[in-house]
Amino acid sequence: MALAKIRNFIDNSLKTVSTPLDRTVNLEPEIGIRIVHSPNDKGLHVTVLGARHLPQNFGFTRVNSYIVKVKLIPGKEKFETTTKNESWPQWNEEFIFPLRKETKQKFGKSKVIEEEINGSRFIVATLYAILEDKPLIATEKKDADKEKSLLAKGETPKKSGKRKEGQGGSSDNQESNTKNKLLGQFFGKGSDKPAESTVAEKRAYDKRRTVGATTIPLDPKNFPCKPPKSKHASDVSTGDMWKPLRPIASGISGAEERKENKKGQVELSLCLSKGEKDEESGGQLILSLHRLRCSLQTMHEHEGLKGQMYLKLSVVDNGRVTHFWKSDRFAPTVSMKFSPETARVVADNPYKGALNDVSFVVKFVSKNKMGKKSPVGHFVIGSDVGGTYGEQWKQALAKPGQQITKWQAFE
C-alpha cells in the first residue's frame, strides 16, 4: 500500500510540473531576436535576446564561446555581440540600423534619402562558435618539461649559439624600439602594431565556426504588435521571436532544389558561351563555383580529422586533365562562399561536337596535418552522366549564353 501511494504521488506531481519553456522539446539550435521599427527616429532597433540548444563541441575541440553577427541586407552596416561562454547564452544587446542614407550630388551637395522597410529587405543573424585554443605540440611540451626539471635542480637551461646571437642583438632591438617610438610620436602609430593587430584578428577569425543563420524579412505583416516601452506611438515590433538556425543559403535560382546530403553539396553554374569568330564553333563551356554547404554532422566529422579542406574543379578530355582550379585550404564549416569569377574552369569547344568527350570532375578533399589526403566526395558532370549532373549539362548546351545554376551533391 505504501509503495502504491508513493507511485501515485510521483505520477501526479510529474503531471502538474510544467516545462519552463515551451520550445524545450525542439533540440535544434535557436536564436531569439526582437525587431522594433521606429518611423519617427528613422531607425530599426534589433535586439539579440539569446540562443539555446547550441553545440558544445566541434569534433574533438570544445567550444569556448559564442558570438552573433547582425546585418541588414541590402546594406553595409553590421554589428556583433559580445562573446558568451554558455550553451544557453543571453545577450539582450540592442543595435540600431539607421534608415537614412546620404547621396552625393554635383558641386559637393548631398541629399538625404529616407529608406522604407518592405519584404525585399532582410535582417540576417549569424551565430558563430569560437573554439578553444589548440593544445601544445608534443615537442613544445618536452622542451617545457626539460626547462622545469632544470629549474627544479637549480640549473639554468643551456642556450644555443642562436640564442646568444639574439642576446647580442638585444641592443639592436632596443634601437628599433626607440625608432618605432619616435615614428609613433610623429605619425601617431608605430610600424609593428598594425601587423600584430592583423595577426591577432586573423587568429580570432580562424577559431570561428558557423553554427547557422536565420533570415527575417522586414515585411510590415511581421510587425503585428507595439513594444511595451515605446518612445513614439507609431513604433511597431515583431515581439520576441525564436528562430531556428539553418545552414546559410544563397538565394540564387535553383537553391530550392538542394537536398540534404551527408557529404555536402555545392552550388554550380554551367554556361555555354557563343562562338564569336566562326558560326560553326561552339564557344566555351564554363563551370563556376558559388557555394559549399555541409551539415553540422559532416562538419563535426571533418573537425575530428584535425585537418583542412579544399575543393577542386577539373576539365577531363579523353581521360586526360587539361585544366583545373583548386581552392585555398579552409577550416571545416557548414557554409562557404566563393567568387564565380575566379572559382571556375573552362572547356574549349573549337567545333560543334567537340564536347562529346569532355566532362567536369568536382572533388571535395580533406588534408590532415601530416599531409595525407582523404577524399570526402566527388561527382562528374558530362554528357554520359545521368541524374541531375546530366540534366545540368543538357540544359546548358540547349540554352547558349544562359547560366544554369543547380545544387549538386557529392557522392
Side-chain angles (χ1 to χ4, degrees):
M1 293 295 292
L3 290 174
K5 289 181 179 180
I6 293 172
R7 287 175 181 173
N8 291 331
F9 174 75
I10 293 173
D11 293 338
N12 293 329
S13 62
L14 288 174
K15 290 178 182 179
T16 56
V17 173
S18 60
T19 56
L21 292 173
D22 295 336
R23 298 178 182 84
T24 51
V25 179
N26 183 14
L27 298 180
E28 292 183 348
E30 293 181 332
I31 186 170
I33 292 178
R34 180 175 62 247
I35 304 175
V36 177
H37 177 219
S38 179
N40 289 0
D41 294 340
K42 306 299 179 184
L44 202 66
H45 301 256
V46 180
T47 303
V48 179
L49 303 175
R52 53 197 179 195
H53 307 305
L54 302 181
Q56 297 183 359
N57 55 0
F58 280 66
F60 296 105
T61 307
R62 292 190 62 83
V63 176
N64 181 26
S65 56
Y66 303 92
I67 191 171
V68 178
K69 181 177 72 175
V70 184
K71 188 175 182 180
L72 176 63
I73 296 178
K76 296 182 179 180
E77 292 186 343
K78 55 186 177 181
F79 301 96
E80 288 188 352
T81 63
T82 56
T83 57
K84 297 282 185 180
N85 55 355
E86 303 171 359
S87 58
W88 286 45
Q90 293 182 1
W91 283 282
N92 292 317
E93 297 182 12
E94 185 183 72
F95 307 101
I96 301 174
F97 292 92
L99 295 178
R100 288 180 176 178
K101 68 176 182 179
E102 292 185 0
T103 57
K104 293 183 179 180
Q105 297 178 344
K106 293 181 179 180
F107 307 108
K109 295 181 180 180
S110 60
K111 183 179 179 181
V112 178
I113 299 176
E114 296 181 358
E115 300 175 340
E116 297 180 356
I117 62 170
N118 49 47
S120 62
R121 307 194 72 179
F122 304 89
I123 286 291
V124 179
T126 308
L127 191 141
Y128 299 94
I130 303 175
L131 304 185
E132 291 183 350
D133 293 333
K134 296 180 181 179
L136 292 173
I137 304 173
T139 54
E140 294 180 356
K141 286 185 177 181
K142 287 181 181 179
D143 294 338
D145 294 337
K146 284 182 181 179
E147 290 183 1
K148 287 181 180 179
S149 61
L150 290 172
L151 290 172
K153 292 179 182 178
E155 301 177 1
T156 56
K158 295 181 180 180
K159 300 178 181 179
S160 61
K162 291 182 180 180
R163 296 286 291 180
K164 288 181 180 178
E165 289 177 1
Q167 288 177 355
S170 62
S171 60
D172 297 334
N173 293 332
Q174 291 178 358
E175 291 178 0
S176 63
N177 290 333
T178 54
K179 289 179 181 179
N180 290 333
K181 288 180 180 179
L182 291 173
L183 289 171
Q185 290 177 0
F186 284 105
F187 299 102
K189 53 185 178 180
S191 59
D192 294 337
K193 288 184 179 179
E196 291 176 358
S197 62
T198 53
V199 170
E201 289 178 359
K202 185 179 180 182
R203 288 178 181 175
Y205 276 99
D206 288 341
K207 296 177 185 178
R208 288 191 178 188
R209 299 292 183 271
T210 307
V211 178
T214 186
T215 303
I216 304 170
L218 299 180
D219 194 337
K221 297 179 181 178
N222 295 332
F223 295 82
C225 58
K226 293 186 177 181
K229 297 180 180 180
S230 59
K231 297 181 180 179
H232 309 282
S234 59
D235 292 354
V236 290
S237 173
T238 59
D240 296 351
M241 300 182 298
W242 287 91
K243 295 286 186 178
L245 293 168
R246 303 296 185 188
I248 301 173
S250 65
I252 303 175
S253 61
E256 65 276 1
E257 299 176 4
R258 67 182 185 271
K259 297 180 180 179
E260 189 66 27
N261 184 271
K262 185 178 180 181
K263 295 183 179 180
Q265 42 294 130
V266 286
E267 190 180 44
L268 300 166
S269 63
L270 193 62
C271 180
L272 178 62
S273 62
K274 298 179 181 179
E276 298 178 357
K277 296 182 180 179
D278 189 3
E279 293 182 357
E280 296 296 328
S281 65
Q284 295 178 330
L285 191 60
I286 305 170
L287 180 70
S288 304
L289 174 64
H290 293 273
R291 282 183 182 270
L292 166 71
R293 180 173 178 260
C294 291
S295 62
L296 283 173
Q297 180 184 0
T298 305
M299 186 182 58
H300 289 172
E301 293 176 0
H302 297 165
E303 195 75 35
L305 298 175
K306 292 290 183 180
Q308 292 182 321
M309 325 293 295
Y310 69 87
L311 289 166
K312 185 177 181 181
L313 312 178
S314 303
V315 180
V316 180
D317 188 356
N318 287 318
R320 184 173 59 91
V321 177
T322 59
H323 183 64
F324 71 90
W325 172 88
K326 187 167 67 172
S327 69
D328 296 332
R329 283 178 284 181
F330 54 88
T333 180
V334 294
S335 180
M336 190 168 185
K337 186 178 180 181
F338 298 89
S339 175
E341 290 77 14
T342 56
R344 59 183 351 189
V345 287
V346 179
D348 292 327
N349 188 22
Y351 58 90
K352 291 185 178 180
L355 294 176
N356 293 333
D357 299 325
V358 176
S359 60
F360 295 104
V361 179
V362 182
K363 292 183 179 180
F364 189 22
V365 185
S366 172
K367 190 173 183 180
N368 61 11
K369 290 183 177 180
M370 302 301 293
K372 183 180 178 181
K373 300 177 183 178
S374 57
V376 178
H378 76 285
F379 60 84
V380 180
I381 298 178
S383 58
D384 298 333
V385 183
T388 57
Y389 312 116
E391 289 179 3
Q392 188 174 11
W393 179 276
K394 293 177 182 178
Q395 291 178 11
L397 295 183
K399 301 176 181 178
Q402 183 176 348
Q403 286 193 356
I404 308 300
T405 304
K406 288 184 178 293
W407 282 91
Q408 303 289 8
F410 288 105
E411 295 180 348

